Amino acid sequence: MNLSDGSTLHSDLVVVCVGHVDDAARRPAEIGSFGAYFPPGYAVDVDYSDIRPDDHVLVRGMGLAAIDSLVLLTLERGGRFLRDVTGRVRYRVSGREPKVFLTSRRGFPNLCKVDGDFRGDDFEPGFFTPERVAELLDRRPLELATDYWPLLTLEAELSYYCELFTGFPSRVRCDWGAFRREFIEAGTRAERDVLIASAVPDSAHHLNITAYLDPLSHVGAGDLRAIDSVIAQTIEAILGQRRNDPSLTSAISRGFGLAGLGDLTHDADTWSDGSRIAEFGRYSSDIKFVLGGPPASRFDELLALREAGIVRFIGARPQLRPTSSGLTVTTVHLTEPIHVDAVIDAWLPTARADRSESSLLRQLGERFGTEVRNGTTTGMIRVSHWTNRVCTGDGGDSGNNVFVVGLPSSSLLTNMIPVKGANSAILRESDAVAHAVLSAAYSSVGHLTHR
């Protein structure tokens, strides 16, 4: 390996763990030549000093990167969060903050994390059983939308009802074992809904997965004041639910945590080319929405920023339009366009080796080839199943001792998030890679010295 100071490092094997890296192709077409544009990046590295007080700033993305950007635009400009006599979080304005308009494809922040210990029984998967996983593997390639996602959402439901029935028996009318069996054996959504209605008398304790993943599904179009208000009310309601029943929230996350089921999700060859290229990003986004949110305290602060007039929620699926004076934004919920002075794309850069600003990753991709699907490169470095040893672009043995862990490898587990109670596959993958690296090292040097 050639280093920047001109020296060369010789090694028996290489493990590349560079994490997220910048993407060289970063200006989207809809931005055009608009000057005040901040591409996806890492908030600690971004300079927002050109954004002036009271500028209208559009932030696209409502995950952790958006939270980091808000911190830089508020707390780092002298603002402070305080608690009033009722315990509610308030924001003290410094006068140096811009006006921030938050939007994303979903229009809602990633669900906050509320860590609750389980009160009920341990959960045993009912849909991703060893037999079902073996059956799915036998008929690869699979389609994410039809073969996998419906089972995953059912597993999340079942995990929720396991906690409800065994942790809160006063809320249900029947035995968990009987409910579990009927829920698994039901052939249609309608049959499951009838079962839930008869077994759980209070509809407030029913789990609607569709609404859970799309909290704004009940929201129509309106002006800024109306849309901002209803989204804030929805955030507050969800925050209250999650704090009142934290173990039930953890149970839903536990079910979605099974998204990282080892053999089924690790190997890129499990999926059809269409799923791998077109669908995986969408479903990864749903997983991150459920599992990858901020602590609940950040929701309190987000609502405080709104009450202080710093933040406004403008709904889902934003569209930018150029005007003679700059850009305007609309969403599917917003009936009137808003003029913006700056645009921040608040998500992490695309993890592609072929477009990375890291010369190491680009050279690895050039030397061994990147993953190819339907004649199109995904830009990912192709790695072998579980060991993460670099392969050739078509999956063949490259005969090397180079391992790539995390982004931008072709392992699908890089997008997964560890969840309590789910035996998360991303952690098991790390164990497997460590074993493979140690085995390769042993083969190379013939022994390992223990100290």
Side-chain angles (χ1 to χ4, degrees):
M1 181 178 293
N2 297 322
L3 304 181
S4 59
D5 63 1
S7 61
T8 300
L9 180 65
H10 299 277
S11 64
D12 297 296
L13 55 85
V14 176
V15 183
V16 180
C17 308
V18 296
H20 289 278
V21 291
D22 286 330
D23 181 355
R26 297 190 294 175
R27 178 171 284 268
E30 67 270 21
I31 295 295
S33 59
F34 183 69
Y37 171 63
F38 300 86
Y42 310 96
V44 294
D45 298 328
V46 179
D47 180 6
Y48 291 135
S49 60
D50 287 342
I51 295 177
R52 300 161 299 184
D54 293 325
D55 271 357
H56 284 199
V57 177
L58 176 69
V59 175
R60 298 195 294 184
M62 297 179 72
L64 296 181
I67 297 294
D68 291 341
S69 295
L70 281 174
V71 168
L72 292 177
L73 294 172
T74 56
L75 295 181
E76 292 298 315
R77 293 190 172 205
R80 290 292 179 266
F81 290 109
L82 307 168
R83 288 192 181 273
D84 63 18
V85 293
T86 69
R88 188 175 181 86
V89 176
R90 305 291 184 182
Y91 181 73
R92 186 176 66 193
V93 175
S94 71
R96 298 167 55 203
E97 300 91 346
K99 305 297 183 186
V100 179
F101 299 90
L102 286 177
T103 182
S104 68
R105 283 175 293 184
R106 200 184 313 265
F108 201 85
N110 287 3
L111 296 175
C112 62
K113 295 176 182 175
V114 179
D115 189 21
D117 292 331
F118 295 117
R119 293 173 50 169
D121 296 346
D122 291 341
F123 176 62
E124 180 181 350
F127 294 92
F128 285 122
T129 61
E131 295 78 16
R132 176 67 65 84
V133 171
E135 173 199 334
L136 289 170
L137 290 172
D138 284 344
R139 56 186 179 86
R140 292 179 290 182
L142 303 176
E143 300 296 333
L144 269 165
T146 55
D147 296 321
Y148 175 70
W149 190 253
L151 293 178
L152 181 62
T153 54
L154 287 172
E155 201 75 274
E157 275 193 87
L158 192 63
S159 176
Y160 168 85
Y161 286 114
C162 173
E163 178 66 13
L164 183 70
F165 273 75
T166 61
F168 302 84
S170 63
R171 299 183 183 182
V172 300
R173 283 178 175 160
C174 68
D175 172 70
W176 163 239
F179 178 90
R180 171 188 165 87
R181 182 174 58 256
E182 291 187 48
F183 189 91
I184 293 171
E185 293 176 354
T188 66
R189 181 71 254 174
E191 290 177 12
R192 290 191 175 94
D193 288 342
V194 170
L195 171 64
I196 292 167
S198 63
V200 185
D202 187 346
S203 61
H205 301 315
H206 296 178
L207 175 61
N208 182 332
I209 283 289
T210 301
Y212 191 82
L213 293 172
D214 185 8
L216 302 187
S217 58
H218 67 290
V219 178
D223 61 21
L224 174 60
R225 184 174 181 177
I227 295 305
D228 171 61
S229 177
V230 73
I231 294 176
Q233 291 169 19
T234 305
I235 291 173
E236 194 144 18
I238 288 177
L239 179 59
Q241 292 167 2
R242 296 171 84 81
R243 281 181 166 152
N244 289 337
D245 286 321
S247 70
L248 292 174
T249 294
S250 295
I252 301 171
S253 298
R254 175 179 61 187
F256 275 105
L258 293 168
L261 278 169
D263 287 333
L264 195 56
T265 50
H266 178 283
D267 190 355
D269 288 333
T270 297
W271 311 104
S272 71
D273 287 350
S275 284
R276 180 71 179 92
I277 294 172
E279 295 179 348
F280 197 81
R282 170 195 164 189
Y283 292 113
S284 293
S285 175
D286 282 342
I287 295 297
K288 290 177 181 177
F289 175 71
V290 175
L291 305 180
S297 59
R298 289 300 194 191
F299 266 31
D300 291 322
E301 293 170 357
L302 195 56
L303 292 170
L305 288 171
R306 176 192 171 267
E307 290 179 352
I310 303 300
V311 162
R312 289 292 179 260
F313 305 109
I314 64 173
R317 298 195 292 280
Q319 288 190 330
L320 287 171
R321 292 182 174 85
T323 68
S324 58
S325 58
L327 287 176
T328 62
V329 61
T330 57
T331 69
V332 296
H333 295 106
L334 202 60
T335 54
E336 298 176 354
I338 297 172
H339 170 78
V340 295
D341 301 299
V343 178
I344 296 173
D345 277 345
W347 55 77
L348 291 175
T350 303
R352 290 184 58 132
D354 59 347
R355 293 203 315 234
S356 171
E357 292 187 353
S358 165
S359 59
L360 171 63
L361 292 178
R362 290 199 309 274
Q363 289 168 13
L364 281 174
E366 292 165 0
R367 178 173 179 180
F368 298 110
T370 53
E371 180 189 39
V372 175
R373 297 280 173 175
N374 271 351
T376 301
T377 179
T378 65
M380 306 294 189
I381 295 173
R382 187 70 179 266
V383 296
S384 60
H385 183 32
W386 280 117
T387 68
N388 282 47
R389 188 191 297 264
V390 172
C391 303
T392 58
D394 60 2
D397 183 3
S398 63
N400 68 80
N401 270 344
V402 180
F403 300 80
V404 176
V405 181
L407 299 171
S409 77
S410 63
S411 167
L412 303 186
L413 292 183
T414 57
N415 286 298
M416 302 306 172
I417 299 169
V419 177
K420 180 173 64 177
N423 192 22
S424 299
I426 188 171
L427 301 180
R428 290 185 283 117
E429 179 194 58
S430 297
D431 292 341
V433 172
H435 184 271
V437 170
L438 290 173
S439 297
Y442 185 88
S443 298
S444 294
V445 301
H447 68 279
L448 289 175
T449 301
H450 297 277
R451 295 182 179 177

